[in-house]
Amino acid sequence: MATVKIDRDGCIGCGMCWNVCPDVYEQDADDGKSRIAEALRQNGALDQAEVDESTADCARQGADACPVSVISVE
């Protein structure tokens, strides 16, 4: 398992992460920023999720595409 975290305060809403990995990231319609895709949310958290290793590679690619480096996958 890997933990995906998004610093939503630092997010600029550019869309790179959800364009690269829509299975993990999506745009929040309320503020335009990135959030965890609804299917992966645990306890309603928009900024953090546990993903399996098969999904972690996609999550890392999305994190690497972020121009402001506000996404981590550990």
Side-chain angles (χ1 to χ4, degrees), residues 37-59:
E38 186 172 1
L40 297 176
R41 278 186 227 146
Q42 298 148 350
N43 301 319
L46 300 178
D47 62 347
Q48 183 173 327
E50 297 292 322
V51 297
D52 60 32
E53 282 305 315
S54 64
T55 306
D57 287 337
C58 181

Side-chain angles (χ1 to χ4, degrees), residues 15-62:
M16 293 300 294
C17 62
W18 66 75
N19 283 321
V20 170
C21 187
D23 291 342
V24 176
Y25 311 104
E26 66 186 18
Q27 183 178 28
D28 187 316
D30 292 332
D31 62 14
K33 296 181 179 185
S34 181
R35 67 182 181 191
I36 298 297
E38 186 172 1
L40 297 176
R41 278 186 227 146
Q42 298 148 350
N43 301 319
L46 300 178
D47 62 347
Q48 183 173 327
E50 297 292 322
V51 297
D52 60 32
E53 282 305 315
S54 64
T55 306
D57 287 337
C58 181
R60 286 186 189 96
Q61 291 173 9

